[in-house]
Structure formats: C-alpha cells, structure tokens
Amino acid sequence: MLFKNSHKLKNETYVFINEYTGYSISNSNVLYHFNKLKTRTGFNNFTIHGLRHTHATILLNEGQNVKEIAKRLGNTVDMIYKIYGHVLKELEEQSVTLFSQSLLASRANFGANN
C-alpha cells in the first residue's frame, strides 16, 4: 500500500497504515480492527500485548541477539533479561544438554555437567 501511494519506507514506517493514504492509523483504529478480527475468528483470549510477548519469545528461541530484540521492542537489554529471563535460562539449559550429548556422541570422557 505504501508503494501504491508513492511513499518510501523509513525507519519510522508503521505496521498499521490507512489503505487509502498509506499513513499510520490511530491506536483506537488498530484496536477496533484487532477486536473485530478476534470476534470473527473466535480467538478471543489474546491481546496485542500478548502478541508482543510471543514475538519476543520466538525471537529469543531462534537465537536472535538480545540487544536487537530490545531495540525492536523499544526496551533496554536489561528489561529483556528481566522479563524474559526464564526463556533465556531454558535456552541455556538446552545448550548445556546439547553440548553434553555431542560430547557423549563423540565418545568423550567428560561433559559440560562434570
């Protein structure tokens, strides 16, 4: 839609835009359409904020850089560690397990847990 209206992408380009003008739409308009979509699909038990957490968790699980995730969400790195510390702890435990299994598979006599 942006390109159709001869707009160029900028760092401040919004996700939700007016289909006729290409400019950003209001928060209340986004919420109205979000709620309409939830009603139509029957997925009533999630929020936009919940989608934000899901987005961050998926990025963490995919190994994205915490600094980049913080920048993307408009948070500090410290905030990401505080909010998603449990996810990072699980990933750390998975890394230790994976490394130990790799050592065992290569018949090494030691592992990350020893």
Side-chain angles (χ1 to χ4, degrees), residues 2-39:
L2 284 171
F3 305 121
K4 179 179 172 190
N5 291 300
S6 301
H7 295 286
K8 298 200 183 325
L9 290 176
K10 302 174 193 157
N11 285 342
E12 311 83 41
T13 301
Y14 294 94
V15 173
F16 302 107
I17 59 173
N18 181 296
E19 69 178 291
Y20 301 109
T21 66
Y23 291 106
S24 65
I25 58 177
S26 68
N27 292 346
S28 60
N29 200 339
V30 171
L31 192 56
Y32 169 78
H33 289 288
F34 183 74
N35 288 330
K36 195 172 165 180
L37 180 65
K38 284 182 3 178
T39 300

Side-chain angles (χ1 to χ4, degrees), residues 5 11 16 26 31 33 47 66 77-78 80-81 98 101 113:
N5 291 300
N11 285 342
F16 302 107
S26 68
L31 192 56
H33 289 288
T47 63
V66 174
V77 171
D78 188 48
I80 297 298
Y81 281 117
L98 182 64
Q101 288 171 349
N113 293 323

